[in-house]
Amino acid sequence: MSKMFRPRSGMAKVLYQKILTDQKIQAMDKSQWYRIDEGVMRDLSEDIGSKFQQFEIDESTQLFLDSCVESSDNTFWQMWLTVASSILSWFLTNTTVNGLLGRGSMQVFSSDQFEKLIDFQHSNNMMQSLLDIGAGDGSTTELMAGCFSDVYVTEMSTTMRWTLQKKGYTVLDVSEWSNQAVKFDVISCLNVLDRCERPLTLLEQIKSSLKPGGVAVLAFVIPFKPYVEFGAKTSNEPDEALMISDKSYEREVKNFVENVLTPNGWELVKWTRLPYLCEGDIHQAFYWLDDVVFVVRPSVEKSTNSGNACPRSRSPFLLTDN
């Protein structure tokens, strides 16, 4: 009678557990990353549900996952990263450590998914300006950059700012970007609202920095759990609270639209559910969280300067709402 294999050394146990974990995540039904409960969504708000855009895992996303698996399987490289990260984390934030080590690349959407979200096919194949707020190492910025002639970024981490400059992006000061004369066709704010001190102030800055007809692309993880990594306070709690938290994915979407977007002068154009993917480590090939991505624009009521209604300035690359 054969005995079950039981690794004895610490590293052998880690590698054996990784094999089992990777087998599970490779076999999982990844279509669930993109699904919502349509019945719940209709019960909550038919208007919000009608603006949902369904996506599936595509070739670019699969290539990202394959590269994560290849990197994670390089055992000696992962061992070195683990040791280096443990030492550096005593002195630096996780974001800065990842920037120094060149690890932890993330993906919110593929290039094709981004183009569909902003209806790039109607843009005559080029837009003028993108601002990516909190761009990190620029891996997601790269997926959007091909649609624009000018790409601007902001980032709190000094190490990441160096990386972004090397990639050729114009890095704007995190405290001054909204006070400059330049305006943007698209402003992306991906997984930043739950990591900044003043998310409501940030939304107002985004609105004032859009060109007429411009749109913002917003994303955050559900369940919504604010945590401020870079801030003036010692506390990790934000100064401004967003009333989002609820018991389901769909209800948190509804809360954000009705409690945050609409009262603050934003109109929902479309939204979708996507996996927030992150490069793995010695324990697991890749990690993921449930992200919600919104395309929004300033509403007519909040963007007019008088009581007289005026036609909305429509973006040439955002011609449809669905």
Side-chain angles (χ1 to χ4, degrees), residues 37 53 87-88 92 100 112 128 157 182 239 251 300 320:
D37 189 324
Q53 178 158 0
I87 296 172
L88 292 173
L92 303 170
L100 287 172
D112 288 343
Q128 186 174 350
S157 168
V182 61
D239 290 337
R251 288 183 181 276
V300 174
T320 62

Side-chain angles (χ1 to χ4, degrees), residues 117 119 121-122 269-270 297 314 317-322:
L117 280 171
D119 290 331
Q121 65 269 28
H122 298 299
V269 177
K270 64 177 67 172
R297 59 189 171 205
R314 295 302 297 271
F317 54 86
L318 191 59
L319 301 183
T320 62
D321 290 350
N322 299 304

Side-chain angles (χ1 to χ4, degrees), residues 143-183:
L143 299 175
M144 301 183 284
C147 299
F148 302 89
S149 56
D150 301 308
V151 179
Y152 302 81
V153 294
T154 71
E155 175 53 47
M156 295 289 289
S157 168
T158 301
T159 304
M160 294 297 191
R161 289 200 295 271
W162 294 339
T163 300
L164 292 165
Q165 288 174 336
K166 289 179 181 178
K167 291 184 176 182
Y169 303 132
T170 302
V171 180
L172 302 181
D173 187 274
V174 292
S175 60
E176 295 296 329
W177 64 267
S178 61
N179 299 323
Q180 300 186 43
V182 61
K183 303 295 181 183

Side-chain angles (χ1 to χ4, degrees), residues 7 27 56-58 70 80 126 222-223 237 247 267 297:
E56 304 287 346
I57 189 168
D58 59 9
E70 182 178 357
W80 183 89
M126 184 57 66
I222 292 180
E237 296 295 323
K247 296 181 179 180
E267 177 187 346
R297 59 189 171 205

